[in-house]
Amino acid sequence: MKRAISTHKETILRPNSEFERRVIFQYYLDNDIKITEEEREILLQCVAVEPENIGIIGCLLNDNSHLNTLRLAIASTNKSNKKLANLSKELLLNLDVNTADIYYFVEREYESLTKVEVDVTNVYLTFC
């Protein structure tokens, strides 16, 4: 089975495919695979509600956005996936979680959030 995000776009974007996504995402994480621009666009659209998937997406995207900062904060709390937790903590060193928190929970109106933002912020509130 080829485990490319671009090959499995429908699976990545389909609701209720958390396990299938995690297999693909974990493959990327375990093998230190850098994502392509096409894969980045797919991940940016991915609605995930499982904390490990959200965290791996954050590590794969590796950007400085407020949303990705929350993704990495979620990943840093992971107890079972040490590689994910350690990588996310490393990536968080140059980011400000408090600024991202304020952005989403003070400055933004809940009604203006995208589905992706809603799911990430809901999981963030649960785990962080």
Side-chain angles (χ1 to χ4, degrees):
M1 174 182 151
K2 187 172 182 189
R3 293 186 180 138
I5 291 170
S6 56
T7 303
H8 296 282
K9 179 179 179 178
E10 293 78 24
T11 300
I12 301 298
L13 296 178
R14 184 179 62 232
N16 302 322
S17 64
E18 295 293 334
F19 177 77
E20 294 88 351
R21 284 183 211 158
R22 190 166 60 247
V23 168
I24 295 166
F25 294 166
Q26 191 66 47
Y27 177 78
Y28 274 67
L29 187 68
D30 288 345
N31 294 287
D32 300 317
I33 297 172
K34 303 295 181 207
I35 59 172
T36 66
E37 202 53 46
E38 177 185 8
E39 291 169 330
R40 173 175 296 286
E41 291 305 315
I42 293 168
L43 292 178
L44 288 171
Q45 298 173 46
C46 182
V47 176
V49 296
E50 198 271 325
E52 194 164 356
N53 281 343
I54 290 171
I56 295 173
I57 290 170
C59 289
L60 295 176
L61 289 172
N62 189 17
D63 67 41
N64 296 333
S65 69
H66 293 313
L67 185 61
N68 212 55
T69 300
L70 296 185
R71 286 184 183 112
L72 294 171
I74 292 166
S76 71
T77 67
N78 192 291
K79 303 281 188 250
S80 61
N81 190 334
K82 296 299 181 192
K83 182 168 185 169
L84 173 61
N86 291 335
L87 178 58
S88 62
K89 288 174 185 173
E90 182 181 314
L91 295 173
L92 276 171
L93 289 176
N94 296 320
L95 301 174
D96 186 354
V97 177
N98 289 330
T99 300
D101 188 293
I102 290 169
Y103 178 76
Y104 276 104
F105 300 106
V106 176
E107 295 176 6
R108 293 280 307 272
E109 295 290 328
Y110 184 82
E111 296 77 26
S112 72
L113 300 179
T114 67
K115 178 73 172 132
V116 172
E117 290 172 318
V118 166
D119 288 340
V120 171
T121 56
N122 285 342
V123 172
Y124 173 81
L125 286 173
T126 303
F127 285 88
C128 299

